[in-house]
Amino acid sequence: MTDWEHALIRHVGVGVKTSKALFEKIEVQDWDARPIPGKRTVGEVAVHLAVLLEADLMLAEGATAEAMQAFYTEPVPRDQLNERINRAFSIYHHRSQLFDYLNILGYELEISLFE
């Protein structure tokens, strides 16, 4: 494995680890909070972040639009977020969106998104 591949795996691992830490911080009463009008709720961002890695892998493997639509309409319970994000690696820019939402709601976050 090249140095670049090792660095990529480490970077993605930090993203998954910090995303899971954010998931664990969300209190039940804030799941449906919409800190920014017209944007997703906290729960919607968390679910999107958790399944985004799987979706990217499906797209890379040539999934059809119909398959993706079915995938995105499948409900994801809160207790499956960590399991879902562990299934694949890819982008996780929504991590900062969830981090911002929880900050807006007044959460005390001692989580560094980068190492």
Side-chain angles (χ1 to χ4, degrees), residues 55 57-68:
L57 184 57
M58 289 175 66
L59 289 169
E61 293 174 343
T64 65
E66 294 80 20
M68 295 309 299

Side-chain angles (χ1 to χ4, degrees), residues 6-80:
H6 282 289
L8 179 62
I9 289 170
R10 182 179 180 277
H11 179 70
V12 172
V14 169
V16 169
K17 180 178 76 174
T18 57
S19 296
K20 289 166 39 176
L22 289 170
F23 297 158
E24 296 300 320
K25 291 281 188 180
I26 303 170
E27 296 178 17
V28 174
Q29 71 270 12
D30 291 325
W31 189 251
D32 294 321
R34 191 179 309 274
I36 301 173
K39 299 291 184 179
R40 292 177 171 154
T41 66
V42 170
E44 289 168 342
V45 171
V47 167
H48 183 71
L49 176 57
V51 302
L52 185 64
L53 306 176
E54 287 178 75
D56 285 345
L57 184 57
M58 289 175 66
L59 289 169
E61 293 174 343
T64 65
E66 294 80 20
M68 295 309 299
Q69 180 65 29
F71 174 78
Y72 281 122
T73 57
E74 181 183 317
V76 178
R78 289 183 58 171
D79 64 350
Q80 290 183 8

